[in-house]
């Protein structure tokens, strides 16, 4: 028969009491309209062991601007006015400056050990990032095992290039040792500035359509300068990857 616990915590027959303490975990909530941040407690119960494990996780410095971007992109339709405003353009320029500093401080060659999630071309598709968030890091980046590597090609083709590249930059600012971004061929001016070829789906056209000719080109240029700090895909080396095997059985 299973034992039951009395209200006072003692087990049947006077056994030892099982204690559960509230987990002292808080989170930041950002008002996407005002940018105001408030700290709220997460209403969960956890054992002492779980609490101790969570306390050992690396802590990341909160960045209110980056958190604002993450919150806004959860429901961009509700923020459509802001996403076409001069305020959004200025926020992008500030975000770009923060991200550029982080990328420039990284080594030219990344050495990343498993476990790691690798993501290919996102090409301006914000829905892909929503899917990843809902299914891969649904507990949050910090509580998800491993690191996250994006191989580049964040812009062009899709119509949400600005949202995709700034969303990933915001994640990089918040979690610099969990998120890694490489530079694809579309993170070059020759490609993402090829307006004649991609027309309204080109990154430069999206910037100008959103903010006007002058401000649009400024945002486009600043984000390209950030991308110049990214590593190219060919400069990423994975540790603990199995060696390639030649069709004849020879290890190469």
């Amino acid at each position: 028969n299973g034992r039951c616990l009395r209200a006072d915590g003692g087990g049947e027959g006077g056994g030892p009491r099982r204690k559960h303490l509230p987990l002292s975990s808080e989170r930041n909530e950002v008002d996407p309209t005002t940018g105001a941040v408030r700290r709220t407690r997460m209403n969960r119960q956890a054992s002492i062991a779980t609490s101790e494990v969570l306390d050992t996780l690396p802590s990341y410095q909160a960045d209110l601007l980056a958190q604002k971007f993450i919150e806004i992109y959860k429901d961009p339709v509700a923020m459509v006015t802001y996403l076409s405003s001069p305020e959004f353009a200025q926020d992008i320029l500030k975000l770009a400056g923060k991200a550029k500093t982080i990328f420039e401080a990284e080594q030219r060659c990344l050495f990343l050990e498993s476990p790691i999630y690798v993501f290919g071309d996102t090409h301006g598709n914000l829905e892909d990032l929503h899917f990843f968030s809902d299914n891969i890091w649904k507990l949050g980046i910090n509580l998800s095992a491993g690191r996250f590597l994006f191989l580049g090609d964040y812009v062009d083709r899709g119509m949400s290039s600005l949202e995709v590249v700034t969303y990933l930059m915001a994640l990089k600012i918040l979690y610099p040792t969990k998120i890694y971004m490489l530079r694809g061929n579309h993170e070059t001016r020759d490609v993402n500035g090829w307006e004649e070829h991609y027309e309204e789906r080109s990154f430069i056209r999206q910037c100008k359509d959103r903010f006007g000719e002058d401000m649009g080109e400024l945002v486009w240029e600043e984000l390209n300068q950030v991308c110049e700090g990214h590593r190219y895909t060919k400069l990423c080396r994975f540790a603990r990857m199995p060696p390639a095997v030649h069709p004849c059985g020879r290890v190469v």
Side-chain angles (χ1 to χ4, degrees):
N1 293 331
R3 299 178 61 194
C4 63
L5 295 177
R6 300 200 306 265
D8 64 359
E12 184 179 327
R17 290 192 288 179
R18 297 173 59 188
K19 294 182 179 180
H20 290 271
L21 300 178
L23 176 65
S24 59
S25 181
E26 296 181 336
R27 64 182 177 184
N28 291 324
E29 290 186 353
V30 181
D31 186 331
T33 304
T34 64
V37 179
R38 63 175 183 175
R39 296 186 66 82
T40 59
R41 296 179 66 88
M42 293 190 292
N43 296 320
R44 296 194 299 162
Q45 297 289 321
S47 66
I48 296 176
T50 302
S51 179
E52 291 175 349
V53 169
L54 291 177
D55 287 341
T56 63
L57 293 175
S59 59
Y60 296 95
Q61 185 175 3
D63 186 284
L64 300 186
L65 180 61
Q67 290 176 339
K68 178 181 178 180
F69 272 75
I70 299 301
E71 292 298 321
I72 286 172
Y73 292 154
K74 289 180 179 179
D75 187 13
V77 175
M79 301 298 298
V80 64
T81 301
Y82 165 77
L83 294 175
S84 297
S85 68
E87 180 187 356
F88 181 47
Q90 292 297 331
D91 284 345
I92 290 177
L93 297 178
K94 296 175 185 176
L95 189 81
K98 293 173 180 283
K100 185 177 181 181
T101 300
I102 294 174
F103 287 125
E104 289 178 344
E106 288 185 337
Q107 296 181 355
R108 295 300 299 175
C109 185
L110 298 178
F111 293 85
L112 303 178
E113 295 187 359
S114 62
I116 185 168
Y117 294 91
V118 181
F119 303 89
D121 303 5
T122 47
H123 277 307
N125 192 335
L126 188 60
E127 288 302 313
D128 282 354
L129 295 181
H130 283 162
F131 177 84
F132 299 151
S133 177
D134 293 340
N135 293 276
I136 299 178
W137 59 79
K138 58 184 176 181
L139 296 178
I141 294 291
N142 194 28
L143 294 179
S144 300
R147 296 181 175 88
F148 304 86
L149 175 66
F150 293 84
L151 298 181
D153 287 359
Y154 312 113
V155 301
D156 293 330
R157 300 180 183 170
M159 296 303 294
S160 298
S161 295
L162 279 164
E163 286 77 8
V164 166
V165 70
T166 53
Y167 175 83
L168 292 175
M169 287 181 182
L171 287 180
K172 179 64 177 178
I173 292 170
L174 291 172
Y175 310 105
T177 60
K178 295 279 286 187
I179 299 290
Y180 292 90
M181 297 171 62
L182 301 183
R183 184 184 186 187
N185 67 303
H186 282 263
E187 281 69 63
T188 59
R189 295 174 181 80
D190 288 344
V191 178
N192 65 43
W194 194 4
E195 191 172 353
E196 295 78 12
H197 178 72
Y198 290 104
E199 299 179 339
E200 73 276 3
R201 295 183 177 275
S202 69
F203 185 40
I204 189 170
R205 172 76 74 83
Q206 292 180 44
C207 291
K208 292 191 293 186
D209 287 348
R210 191 79 64 93
F211 304 122
E213 192 81 17
D214 293 339
M215 180 57 75
E217 289 191 358
L218 177 60
V219 169
W220 173 77
E221 174 61 27
E222 287 296 317
L223 290 175
N224 270 289
Q225 288 188 20
V226 175
C227 292
E228 289 175 350
H230 291 189
R231 272 104 292 271
Y232 283 99
T233 302
K234 66 181 181 181
L235 293 181
C236 178
R237 175 180 174 181
F238 296 92
R240 299 182 183 174
M241 292 290 283
V245 179
H246 190 273
C248 296
R250 179 171 55 89
V251 176
V252 295

